[in-house]
Amino acid sequence: EKGGYDHFMIKEIFEQSRSIGDSMRGRLRSEDAHLQLGGLNNYLDKLAEADRIIIVGCGTSWHAGLVAEYLFEELARVNVEVEYASEFRYRNPVISEKDIVIAISQSGETADTLAAIELAKSKGATIFGVCNVVGSSIARATHAGAYTHAGPEIGVASTKAFTAQVTVLTLIAIAMAKRKGTITEETYRQLLIELEHIPEKVAKVFENASKIKEIAFIFTYARNFIYLGRGLNFPVALEGALKLKEISYIHAEGYPAAEMKHGPIALIDEDMPVVFLATRDSSYEKIVSNIQEVKARKGRVIAIVTEGDKLIPGMVDFVIEVPQTHEMLTPLVSVIPLQLLSYYIAVMRGRNVDQPRNLAKSVTVE
Ligand code: F6R
């Protein structure tokens, strides 16, 4: 069952070089520019006409929604709002028949997400589900949807379900962009080709596992951690911090890197580990100056960088390389080292990584 691994979580982390491919299987073929999500076929016009998409979810699924916000806005030029299901359901949200709600849930049983769906439905919105568990309550409550096909996720900390959600949401964003004509044929083809390469790039990140383990060893007894990223890597920073909190019980915070100087920078001293998502993308120069700001205050920096980066290794304490990909697909590779880092730290602290205290795999009560 654990396939020779010590925990389900590490098995599921390593499965991602396969599961991401499973999320795309039969849906995407770059050689003839094919992209189709069966469950959404009848809704593509509706998607293309939507003025706004509201995404709801909790925890890691909410983080996948934040990634999707960048994807939908950038590629499909549609206004997106991402909401915690628990907040959305208790407001009096302005929703109409023109709205599309995308509910994201691994288990498909999260009580708050289900209630948010029922509320939006009662106001006439069209609801799509992005669920992992087939036949789950949320999958049944939605009008249409696309399963993530990550396979059963047993570890309480969500890993392969997150990358599967991001993969499926990327496919939806590209399909919508294509229908609306908001991306060029060239970008469309390039994204499909790059998506097909993601599984092997994720496998490449695994080659750094022993290095990540060494870094984990050094920071095993840290009391706090800060995770910083910009753009698409901002939700990845939130996800990295959540993974560390839930399984190692180390206090961790994720922030958009530019927000640091509005408060959190006061926390930086020689005892503060700061994980930077510093891949080579349109935020690179800005992230480099944020790293300098942290180093000037003696923070200990672990940077996730793009393979071959020559600048950042000379500035920081530790680097972990990830392969280059299309900027829009970065989270699928940059989140992997963060999952591994939290796993190894939690194991070294002797935590029950598959079943952390106080947590349940599906949160069926509000
Ligand atoms: C994080 C985690 C939780 C879930 C959240 C939503 O690792 O496991 O934050 O992501 O409870 O669960 P689903 O996706 O099942 O709705």
Side-chain angles (χ1 to χ4, degrees), residues 42-81:
N42 298 333
Y43 288 89
L44 271 179
D45 286 331
K46 179 116 200 165
L47 262 175
E49 284 157 20
D51 296 330
R52 174 171 79 148
I53 295 176
I54 302 167
I55 299 179
V56 296
C58 304
T60 290
S61 296
W62 181 75
H63 295 156
L66 289 179
V67 172
E69 177 175 23
Y70 288 84
L71 294 167
F72 280 104
E73 289 194 355
E74 177 69 27
L75 300 174
R77 308 304 301 150
V78 61
N79 178 26
V80 178
E81 283 164 35

Side-chain angles (χ1 to χ4, degrees), residues 323-337:
Q324 174 95 57
T325 181
H326 191 287
E327 175 160 358
M328 290 292 120
L329 310 181
T330 307
L332 292 170
V333 293
S334 63
V335 74
I336 309 287

